[in-house]
Amino acid sequence: MRTTLIFISFFVPSHPFPVRRGAPPVYSVVPTVGFSLFAVQEVVRKKIVRRFARRNFEVNVIILTFKMLFKVSVLLVAAVTLVNAVDSKDETCKPYFDQYCDKKPPYTDSSLRSCSPLYGAVDKRANQLRKYIKEHIGNSFEYLLQWANFNNYKKDREGFAKLYRKLSDDTWEDGIKLVQYLGKRGVELDFDSLIYQTPPQKYGAGPVGKSRSENEIVSLAKVLDLHKQLAISGNSLHEDSIKHDSLRHDGSSNLEVEHQHDIELAHFIEEEFAGKHAQTVRDLAGHSNDLKRLLKEGGRDDKKLDASGFYVHLFDEYLRKLY
Amino acid sequence: MSGMKTCVVLMSVLAVGWALTEKELQDSNYLKCNLESKVSEGEPILPNTEWIDIKDECVNLARKQIRMEFEAALAYLQLGSYFSQYDINRPGFAKFFLGAASEERSHAIKIFDYLLMRGQLTAYHSDPQLHTLIMGTSVNKSSELTKLSVALKKKEVNGGLEALNLALGFEVAVTRSIKKMIKACENDEVLSEKEKVLLSDNDGSIASNDYHMVDWLITDLLDEQLKGQRELAGRIATLYKMKDGYGQIADFLYDKKLLEELNSKAA
């Protein structure tokens, strides 16, 4: 009885039935039913006592039945509360320790779970973040292949190679930063999803590792598209993380806040990615337009000699000094 | 009659004019992108390929090695993220494994660099295995990487000791593969028929014993591997001895020590 009382006192004030966000509705329905039973039985008992005042024996039997019903409902409530308490990820931490500290019987290893750092809406953005990691790592590999492509003896474009290598290193570092970020905010990195998920390529670059030996302008254009995709994904992550929280009714007419807003996530994307991506995309677009003009002038037939090789070499020298 | 003549002359003038403008338009809109296809006057002067004397088998194994290094990098990335989780909370181990991931990537880049120096990777062959590894469009459930990811998901990796042991396992596999590459590069046996003909026709065009690559593999890659293995083995031994009798506190203390060590190394 003492433990049941503890359970009741644990969740009666202000927030009657603490239910883990995203838990099946039955979790909130069962304790509600239990408590309604408890309230109803008091009323019914009084009625019964009045009506069957003369027949003491039957009254006693009925009262006993109701007592049993009450106990069963309390047990049910306790069981559901226990399930919720153990499973809770974003609920308060202290009641959980209150429940176990210095109590007998002692906890089992499986019943002791971790308190979580989850708050805000970062868990709702988990899949987007995982995809973002995947995109970073995929792009980093692609840039590396471009680096190798321009570093071979036939191409020998040191400037282009340096540009792509820098991009590849940067993107790889950012991927690792994102992995660390997931850890910081308490979102699990679904390992499978990291390896076995192809990000949507709106700016349709061919799959990584299947790139053919590409010429200078086409590779610049491709890398620009790939990087723009990174910037776009960052945009949508930010957009989703600054939505307003919404209120919704759960099954038992309780108002529950559905978190959409996550200031820290929005800040992280702004601080780490937004400015950098915009600058890189701008730089790449600028390079590709410069190179386009040079190719156009160099490759014209009204000149006796085709000068594009010469022009591209000069442009490569420029990139070499720049990066 | 004269009207007819005038008409014909006028039309032919128009036609010629139209053709000329069309040609001019075409010329000015033509964007020449691919510089290697330039055959303007005579044969293009490209470096001859006599200087490229690396064996095919060596190149194939090196490419395989690149793939293996990337695979190890991804595995370490997974381990790093595993230790970053709040319920595991081992920042030292997380930093160690994330650092190891970047290191494996740098090994792959080293091999790229060497192949480029020897005149390889001029035409990019599609590499479906590398593609699968990175993008994972076709799921290969039996790969080591998947097995690791499943084990981590189920939290079957218990603490730092087991993770370090896993890492040592990866390193041993990588070392063996490097040794295999060394053997292939110093042997005549792996020469293809074409290469054997080349060797007998003109000595020097194919290096039957690729001294330079073997030397590079030993002094650069293998050296790093062996030192890395020693480091891992040392860590495992220390942690194992600490853990004997003390489970959680050993993991906790070792993790903090590791973090401090890595931070002071970085500074």
Side-chain angles (χ1 to χ4, degrees), chain A residues 89 114-117 134 137-138 140-141 144-145 147-148 151-155 157 165 168-169 172-173 176 179-180 183 186 188-192 194-199 207-211 213 215-217 292 295-296 306 308-309 312, chain B residues 27-28 31-36 38 47 49 51-52 70 73-74 77-78 81-82 84-87 98 101-102 105 109 112-113 116 119-122 124-127 131 133-137 139-141 143 145-146 149-150 152-153 155:
Chain A
K89 269 195 167 171
S114 316
C115 284
S116 92
K134 176 79 194 173
I137 288 170
S140 165
F141 278 117
L144 198 64
L145 295 181
W147 160 77
N151 224 354
N152 71 42
Y153 78 92
K154 274 188 186 165
K155 284 267 192 325
R157 299 280 184 222
R165 177 63 191 280
S168 175
D169 289 353
W172 172 264
E173 289 300 324
I176 289 187
V179 169
Q180 286 170 325
E188 197 180 2
L189 176 67
D190 187 352
F191 302 107
D192 263 339
L194 178 67
I195 305 166
Y196 297 114
Q197 197 183 67
T198 314
V208 174
K210 286 190 173 169
S211 67
S213 176
N215 59 52
E216 289 80 1
I217 186 81
K292 181 193 75 188
L295 283 175
K296 194 155 179 277
D306 180 358
S308 23
V312 175
Chain B
D27 287 345
S28 60
L31 204 58
K32 189 174 172 56
C33 296
N34 197 350
L35 302 177
E36 267 145 51
K38 175 166 70 178
T49 51
W51 62 281
I52 300 173
F70 275 141
L74 289 181
L77 200 63
Q78 294 189 10
S81 81
Y82 174 77
S84 311
Q85 289 174 69
Y86 66 86
D87 46 351
L98 290 178
S102 293
R105 177 176 173 272
I109 292 173
F112 263 131
D113 253 334
L116 288 165
Q120 298 304 307
L121 307 175
T122 48
Y124 220 98
H125 307 298
S126 69
D127 190 339
H131 177 247
L133 175 68
I134 299 161
M135 302 307 279
T137 40
V139 180
N140 179 8
K141 280 291 175 202
S143 87
L145 215 51
T146 321
S149 99
V150 170
L152 289 176
K153 217 178 194 172
K155 316 238 159 168

Side-chain angles (χ1 to χ4, degrees), chain A residues 15-87:
Chain A
H15 200 322
F17 310 120
V19 172
R20 184 165 59 91
R21 261 205 338 255
V26 66
Y27 284 6
S28 59
V29 172
V30 173
T32 319
V33 170
F35 264 76
S36 332
L37 266 178
F38 170 56
V40 167
Q41 77 103 31
E42 271 302 302
V43 181
V44 175
R45 194 179 61 90
K46 277 176 191 159
K47 276 191 180 172
I48 289 169
V49 168
R50 248 182 276 135
R51 197 187 274 186
F52 300 98
R54 278 160 292 168
R55 282 183 271 174
N56 268 333
F57 174 72
E58 278 143 33
V59 170
N60 276 343
V61 168
I62 290 165
I63 288 174
L64 270 176
T65 322
F66 267 96
K67 270 190 177 168
M68 264 181 64
L69 258 177
F70 173 63
K71 274 181 186 167
V72 167
S73 67
V74 164
L75 273 177
L76 212 61
V77 170
V80 168
T81 317
L82 192 72
V83 165
N84 278 330
V86 166
D87 214 26

Side-chain angles (χ1 to χ4, degrees), chain B residues 15-32:
Chain B
V16 169
W18 177 75
L20 278 175
T21 5
E22 190 72 347
K23 187 171 187 310
E24 198 175 300
L25 267 176
Q26 256 179 9
D27 287 345
S28 60
N29 282 339
Y30 177 64
L31 204 58
K32 189 174 172 56

Side-chain angles (χ1 to χ4, degrees), chain A residues 295-308:
Chain A
L295 283 175
K296 194 155 179 277
E297 192 177 288
R300 274 170 67 172
D301 252 8
D302 55 350
K303 288 201 180 65
K304 193 110 203 218
L305 285 170
D306 180 358
S308 23

